[in-house]
Amino acid sequence: MRKGVRVTPGRPVDLGGRRPGATHGLADRDEAAAAVEAAAARMAEHATRLAADARRSLLVVLQGMDASGKDGTVRRCIGALNPMMVRITSFKAPTTQELAHDFLWRVTRELPGRGQVGVFNRSHYEDVLVVRVEGLAPEEVWRPRYEAINAWERNLVSEGTAIVKIFLHISREEQAERFLQRLRDPRKNWKFNVDDLAKRERWDDYMEAYEDALQRTSTSWAPWHVVPADHKWARDAIVTEILADTLEGMDLRYPPLAPEVRAARADLEARLAAGADAG
Amino acid sequence: MRKGVRVTPGRPVDLGGRRPGATHGLADRDEAAAAVEAAAARMAEHATRLAADARRSLLVVLQGMDASGKDGTVRRCIGALNPMMVRITSFKAPTTQELAHDFLWRVTRELPGRGQVGVFNRSHYEDVLVVRVEGLAPEEVWRPRYEAINAWERNLVSEGTAIVKIFLHISREEQAERFLQRLRDPRKNWKFNVDDLAKRERWDDYMEAYEDALQRTSTSWAPWHVVPADHKWARDAIVTEILADTLEGMDLRYPPLAPEVRAARADLEARLAAGADAG
């Protein structure tokens, strides 16, 4: 994993001191593309073992401001996995039914099963981010949630899920650039939401809420990663490496040959050899 | 769409008369790879419009005997789509909760939303296939289901979903080949299920059940396609073309520029030009 990306548990987080344009040692697009390719192959191999083993799960949480590249990260990094084993959920403004439950209810329902990878595009963290900044709930409601999140994630980890939390860190300037691209290209207009501009106005409040969330919920069992996201090519390499490292660190193995499988093989081979397999 | 793949509604289906090794005019791997590439680009373009338009959905139903290549088809054909817009569900033996409901309950819950693509790896068709052949329910239970399926699918189509139903047609010989590969390769053992051999014993019963299902549920609103699947390269090309043709036929457009988006663009451009966008 690239140095400095992981948020050390217990340490204060200063997003202003982390450059969104950083590349963490990747010289250029070519070098990043080679890094993506190597990490994607590693990731795919260990993900196949995750499916084969069918005892553990991987949960990827993606957070970031509008246009920080969450969708692109899913397409470019998660897209390298076998789609059969991946379940992606985009969390929008909660529905009436979701609001009628505690804030962890809707995310719990979308957790990956054993052998699977779940991706949250936005997540339970919105309940200490947008909810806090836009005043959708009073402080006595959102304040205890950091601890609730840590306890909820700890249980998932002890039950066999590895959790990767990624904050895509873009600059306010790069966001303007990407908004304008969406606004100018008729094929990208649909990705633009007028509310995004109002949130942009509260940039500093959001950064403060993110700093608090990253600091309070980067734990030894589920640490945060701050990925510089102004350069998409660097972002893709860094995220794919984080995913590959995490899966590799789970030390997953192909299950041993079951005796009944060995017997089935001998049986099928014998039948085929004897021409006795005509249905 | 390649000629002869689509099952004409109302006509009897004779699977014995359709060659699992057919390539439908594709000369070799290279030609098929070029066809996949062309169709995948077309599919991705129209799928983006599906997401942008956000009024219609695509449902892909994949059926076939064990080792017919359902997982591979998902990986190779669906994998070309943006994973954010795709939801894949593998239906296994029903759970206690699922059995406590009518047979369309569990599939209804997994239908794609507007702007999305849903993929069913096995589906409600198992309720007239495995259920019939293995005698899991009496005939008076499974017999009325063909009509129920047609009515259910008709409603989905009239509400805006396009339905693509694909039967992957492999030969009994090719299945033996693929089973042996799984049984001999320690990295593929986990894909093998001992019950698969019992189902193989009832091959002819399954073919009869498939013929009945294809004939009774290939409708003008949701036709079946019989895709020869002994050659994976031909299968990939034919399936990708079916998906591309279906999406293209939905005549999807990017939505027109909303007035508030035009206003937002002017606003953001003016603020940036005036240096008035400092947060």
Side-chain angles (χ1 to χ4, degrees):
Chain A
M1 208 163 299
R2 306 251 163 199
K3 222 178 146 230
V5 169
R6 188 165 170 277
V7 176
T8 311
R11 287 276 195 79
V13 177
D14 169 28
L15 287 175
R18 290 173 179 254
R19 286 191 307 113
T23 63
H24 286 275
L26 293 156
D28 54 26
R29 277 172 196 279
D30 287 347
E31 203 180 305
V36 166
E37 201 180 333
R42 213 154 42 92
M43 175 177 74
E45 164 61 24
H46 291 280
T48 305
R49 296 189 200 182
L50 181 81
D53 182 57
R55 286 184 301 182
R56 303 196 55 192
S57 315
L58 175 65
L59 173 64
V60 181
V61 173
L62 276 179
Q63 285 286 158
M65 297 294 284
D66 294 314
S68 61
K70 296 183 290 297
D71 290 19
T73 302
V74 170
R75 197 170 63 246
R76 309 257 310 159
C77 305
I78 303 296
L81 293 172
N82 181 347
M84 282 294 305
M85 64 182 299
V86 179
R87 186 141 197 146
I88 302 159
T89 310
S90 295
F91 291 98
K92 320 265 185 204
T95 64
T96 312
Q97 191 193 22
E98 287 167 355
L99 284 172
H101 295 81
D102 81 279
F103 79 105
L104 294 169
W105 182 76
R106 66 173 184 162
V107 286
T108 302
R109 286 156 59 97
E110 300 294 332
L111 286 170
R114 298 186 198 280
Q116 289 193 309
V117 177
V119 180
F120 287 178
N121 185 339
R122 301 192 185 273
S123 66
H124 46 301
Y125 285 96
E126 291 298 326
D127 294 286
V128 291
L129 292 165
V130 66
V131 166
R132 166 177 169 167
V133 175
E134 309 292 340
L136 303 179
E139 181 164 352
E140 62 263 31
V141 168
W142 58 256
R143 178 66 66 186
R145 286 180 176 169
Y146 301 113
E147 226 174 291
I149 289 172
N150 288 342
W152 180 79
E153 291 180 352
R154 181 158 214 162
N155 170 57
L156 297 181
V157 170
S158 71
E159 289 280 319
T161 301
I163 303 178
V164 173
K165 300 188 293 199
I166 291 170
F167 169 61
L168 297 176
H169 186 30
I170 59 161
S171 63
R172 199 159 188 272
E173 295 69 35
E174 178 65 17
Q175 188 194 49
E177 206 49 57
R178 293 185 188 178
F179 276 178
L180 284 176
Q181 277 173 25
R182 289 183 183 180
L183 288 164
R184 285 172 182 159
D185 183 346
R187 298 178 155 226
K188 290 188 175 168
N189 279 179
W190 63 280
K191 293 185 185 176
F192 188 82
N193 189 325
V194 177
D195 299 341
D196 296 352
L197 285 182
K199 283 201 229 156
R200 175 176 171 76
E201 292 303 302
R202 302 193 172 211
W203 188 274
D204 293 342
D205 295 339
Y206 273 101
M207 288 307 109
E208 200 186 317
Y210 264 112
E211 284 176 343
D212 243 23
L214 295 171
Q215 181 179 334
R216 290 174 194 279
T217 63
S218 197
T219 53
S220 57
W221 56 91
W224 273 101
H225 303 83
V226 176
V227 173
D230 274 7
H231 298 296
K232 294 176 183 173
W233 47 270
R235 170 203 79 192
D236 290 343
I238 296 167
V239 171
T240 311
E241 284 177 354
I242 294 169
L243 297 175
D245 290 347
T246 305
L247 282 162
E248 196 167 80
M250 293 171 80
D251 194 27
L252 300 156
R253 317 264 168 138
Y254 290 96
L257 189 68
E260 69 268 24
V261 171
R262 193 191 307 268
R265 171 178 152 184
D267 181 49
L268 184 59
E269 282 174 333
R271 294 175 64 88
L272 289 171
D277 186 63
Chain B
M1 207 162 298
R2 308 251 162 198
K3 219 175 149 234
V5 170
R6 190 165 170 276
V7 176
T8 310
R11 287 279 195 77
V13 176
D14 170 27
L15 287 175
R18 290 173 179 253
R19 285 192 307 113
T23 63
H24 286 277
L26 293 157
D28 54 26
R29 276 170 197 279
D30 287 348
E31 202 180 303
V36 167
E37 200 179 336
R42 213 155 41 92
M43 174 177 74
E45 164 59 26
H46 291 281
T48 305
R49 296 189 199 182
L50 180 81
D53 183 56
R55 287 184 301 182
R56 303 196 57 193
S57 315
L58 175 66
L59 173 64
V60 182
V61 173
L62 276 180
Q63 285 286 159
M65 297 294 283
D66 294 315
S68 61
K70 297 182 291 296
D71 289 19
T73 301
V74 170
R75 197 171 63 245
R76 309 257 312 161
C77 305
I78 302 295
L81 293 172
N82 181 348
M84 281 293 306
M85 65 183 297
V86 179
R87 187 142 197 144
I88 301 159
T89 311
S90 295
F91 291 98
K92 319 267 183 199
T95 63
T96 312
Q97 191 194 22
E98 287 167 355
L99 284 172
H101 295 80
D102 81 279
F103 79 106
L104 293 169
W105 181 77
R106 65 173 186 163
V107 286
T108 301
R109 288 155 59 96
E110 300 294 332
L111 287 171
R114 299 186 197 281
Q116 289 193 310
V117 177
V119 180
F120 287 178
N121 185 340
R122 301 192 185 273
S123 65
H124 46 300
Y125 284 97
E126 291 297 326
D127 293 287
V128 291
L129 293 164
V130 67
V131 167
R132 166 177 169 168
V133 175
E134 308 292 341
L136 304 178
E139 181 163 353
E140 61 265 31
V141 168
W142 58 257
R143 179 65 66 186
R145 285 180 176 169
Y146 301 113
E147 224 174 294
I149 288 172
N150 289 342
W152 180 80
E153 290 180 353
R154 180 159 215 162
N155 170 57
L156 296 182
V157 170
S158 71
E159 290 280 318
T161 300
I163 303 179
V164 172
K165 300 189 293 200
I166 291 169
F167 170 61
L168 297 176
H169 186 30
I170 59 162
S171 63
R172 198 159 187 272
E173 295 68 34
E174 178 66 17
Q175 189 195 49
E177 206 49 56
R178 293 184 188 180
F179 276 177
L180 284 176
Q181 274 171 27
R182 290 182 181 181
L183 288 164
R184 285 171 182 160
D185 183 345
R187 298 179 154 226
K188 291 187 175 169
N189 280 178
W190 63 280
K191 294 185 185 176
F192 187 82
N193 189 326
V194 177
D195 298 341
D196 296 353
L197 285 182
K199 285 201 228 157
R200 176 176 170 78
E201 291 303 302
R202 302 192 171 211
W203 187 273
D204 293 342
D205 295 338
Y206 274 101
M207 288 307 108
E208 201 185 318
Y210 264 113
E211 285 176 344
D212 243 24
L214 295 170
Q215 181 179 336
R216 291 174 194 279
T217 63
S218 197
T219 53
S220 57
W221 56 91
W224 274 101
H225 303 82
V226 176
V227 173
D230 273 8
H231 299 295
K232 294 176 184 174
W233 46 270
R235 169 203 80 191
D236 290 343
I238 296 167
V239 171
T240 311
E241 285 176 354
I242 294 170
L243 297 176
D245 289 347
T246 304
L247 282 163
E248 196 167 80
M250 292 170 81
D251 194 26
L252 300 156
R253 317 263 168 140
Y254 289 97
L257 189 68
E260 68 269 24
V261 172
R262 195 191 306 269
R265 171 178 151 184
D267 181 47
L268 184 59
E269 281 173 333
R271 294 174 64 89
L272 290 170
D277 185 62

